Amino acid sequence: MVLLSLPFMLHSQECIANDSTIAQACCNGLIRTDSAAALNNARPSLRNRFEWRNPIWDVYIPTPGGGYTYNGTQPLQMGNPFFTRNNQLNHINFATYPSNFSDPDSLDFHPRDGWELLHKYDGFDTLGTSYLYGTSAPGRAGPYVMLYNRYTGRLRILASFQGINPTTDLMQTELRFKTIENLSIKPTSLFMKNKNIAQPLSEKTSVERISTVSRATSTSEFFAAEFDLAYDPCICLNYSEIQVDFGVVDTSLVNLSGRLIGTSQVINTNGSSPLLNNQDFLTTVYKNGLDVEPGLLLIKILMVLSQNIKHRPDCLPLSKLHWELWEVLLKPE
């Protein structure tokens, strides 16, 4: 079940005029998304104002499609997933730290460590002051924040959806390249780490989609999906567009029942006669109607195995000769 599909563009050496056309290459395309010192020389109106390090994220996504509001008219305050102690996010939050420890400096989400805001949707405009929708938010089922580490190439996606059961559901997040010929949008080698073969960043890799499964979280909580990407492919002036799809993986418990019949026999009877530890044993039997058919015969001595095979009516002359040669080699001098 796909909950949400959304495209976003990866670019560094090109200026984007709008969502569907490419303007001239920029000479001054520096972008920094740290809200304390944000830069966007190419498109100043889109300079980032969202501070992903705040303990609380305000979200306004009304129904239908969302339902993330307070009393239907006010923003819903959602806890920043980095500040939680949810075990399902223990690789990014405080879950593994002592209960009295909550120093944000220890978290891996700071711009100084390479993290940049790639994309976000919380129901607010670019300035963060006005709602994008008045009473409904068609096509957007929940909030999401996408962070990219420019040092490690890791893409971290945080998203939330309603109606997810964290005890039985898993969340699948998929990245896939979109191809639009008239805009020269094509797959690049951004996903080449999933093929373990290094190649020029301008070349198309055979891996055009990657996905991961995350542990689901309850309503009004975020789950996390992470991907290790190659370095920005647009360093070679190749424009790429990636679509992100979210889906629910339903899990269930299936009980399989059967019957096993066997016998138990002591092999070595403490030296008492008769001794059974030098005998052959039949295993892996199965029932054929009212009869029991043999499946596997374990033979202790190779010479006995040779005699058994040689005397089978379907043993070919050449095979019989091979076993006789084996017997010659196995006989003691």
Side-chain angles (χ1 to χ4, degrees):
M1 173 185 177
V2 176
L3 296 177
L4 173 67
S5 296
L6 58 106
F8 69 95
M9 282 64 71
L10 299 178
H11 56 87
S12 62
Q13 302 298 317
E14 311 243 27
C15 286
I16 310 303
N18 52 50
D19 290 339
S20 60
T21 62
I22 303 176
Q24 296 179 351
C26 304
C27 297
N28 190 12
L30 180 64
I31 297 176
R32 288 291 181 264
T33 58
D34 181 359
S35 62
L39 292 174
N40 193 332
N41 296 330
R43 304 173 72 185
S45 63
L46 296 183
R47 180 173 59 86
N48 178 48
R49 278 90 167 174
F50 175 68
E51 177 52 82
W52 67 82
R53 291 172 294 174
N54 285 339
I56 299 297
W57 290 350
D58 287 337
V59 175
Y60 182 79
I61 306 178
T63 56
Y68 285 84
T69 63
Y70 178 72
N71 288 336
T73 59
Q74 299 298 320
L76 176 67
Q77 292 189 330
M78 299 183 65
N80 186 328
F82 290 98
F83 285 83
T84 67
R85 294 187 179 273
N86 189 335
N87 285 327
Q88 294 163 307
L89 301 174
N90 59 15
H91 61 296
I92 65 171
N93 63 10
F94 287 123
T96 58
Y97 291 91
S99 58
N100 60 349
F101 182 86
S102 58
D103 185 3
D105 283 342
S106 64
L107 297 174
D108 183 24
F109 69 161
H110 294 283
R112 65 172 182 264
D113 297 323
W115 290 104
E116 301 282 355
L117 178 66
L118 188 64
H119 201 276
K120 66 97 177 175
Y121 177 75
D122 55 7
F124 290 91
D125 62 6
T126 305
L127 297 178
T129 57
S130 301
Y131 301 151
L132 291 176
Y133 303 100
T135 57
S136 64
R140 300 297 169 95
Y144 56 83
V145 174
M146 300 182 184
L147 301 175
Y148 174 77
N149 193 300
R150 51 193 168 93
Y151 297 148
T152 64
R154 171 157 292 193
L155 175 64
R156 177 173 291 162
I157 301 176
L158 304 163
S160 176
F161 298 105
Q162 291 189 337
I164 308 300
N165 188 340
T167 60
T168 60
D169 294 338
L170 299 173
M171 296 302 302
Q172 180 178 13
T173 305
E174 181 183 82
L175 308 182
R176 60 185 176 90
F177 280 108
K178 296 182 66 177
T179 301
I180 305 177
E181 297 295 338
N182 61 335
L183 294 179
S184 299
I185 296 177
K186 65 176 184 178
T188 66
S189 62
L190 188 68
F191 299 158
M192 70 178 176
K193 286 188 175 182
N194 294 269
K195 189 176 176 59
N196 296 323
I197 297 178
Q199 61 186 110
L201 292 168
S202 60
E203 291 186 2
K204 173 183 175 181
T205 180
S206 61
V207 182
E208 296 188 26
R209 62 177 62 202
I210 56 178
S211 64
T212 186
V213 175
S214 312
R215 297 173 62 185
T217 52
S218 59
T219 300
S220 298
E221 292 183 335
F222 288 86
F223 66 89
E226 303 200 7
F227 301 89
D228 288 324
L229 306 179
Y231 189 68
D232 185 357
C234 294
I235 196 71
C236 301
L237 298 181
N238 289 282
Y239 183 78
S240 301
E241 185 170 325
I242 292 179
Q243 179 158 318
V244 182
D245 293 329
F246 297 103
V248 178
V249 179
D250 296 325
T251 62
S252 59
L253 179 64
V254 178
N255 294 319
L256 301 178
S257 59
R259 183 175 63 177
L260 178 65
I261 301 176
T263 60
S264 177
Q265 175 67 48
V266 178
I267 295 179
N268 189 343
T269 57
N270 297 323
S272 302
S273 181
L275 296 178
L276 301 177
N277 57 337
N278 204 28
Q279 303 296 316
D280 303 329
F281 291 92
L282 183 66
T283 62
T284 320
V285 298
Y286 64 95
K287 184 178 180 182
N288 182 11
L290 299 178
D291 298 326
V292 175
E293 300 291 342
L296 178 65
L297 180 63
L298 299 181
I299 298 179
K300 181 177 177 61
I301 303 173
L302 186 58
M303 188 70 74
V304 176
L305 173 63
S306 176
Q307 293 291 329
N308 288 346
I309 294 179
K310 282 173 28 179
H311 292 89
R312 287 177 57 91
D314 57 349
C315 182
L316 299 176
L318 183 59
S319 178
K320 183 177 180 180
L321 177 61
H322 288 164
W323 283 106
E324 288 177 345
L325 293 175
W326 266 107
E327 290 180 11
V328 173
L329 296 174
L330 293 173
K331 284 183 179 179
E333 296 181 358

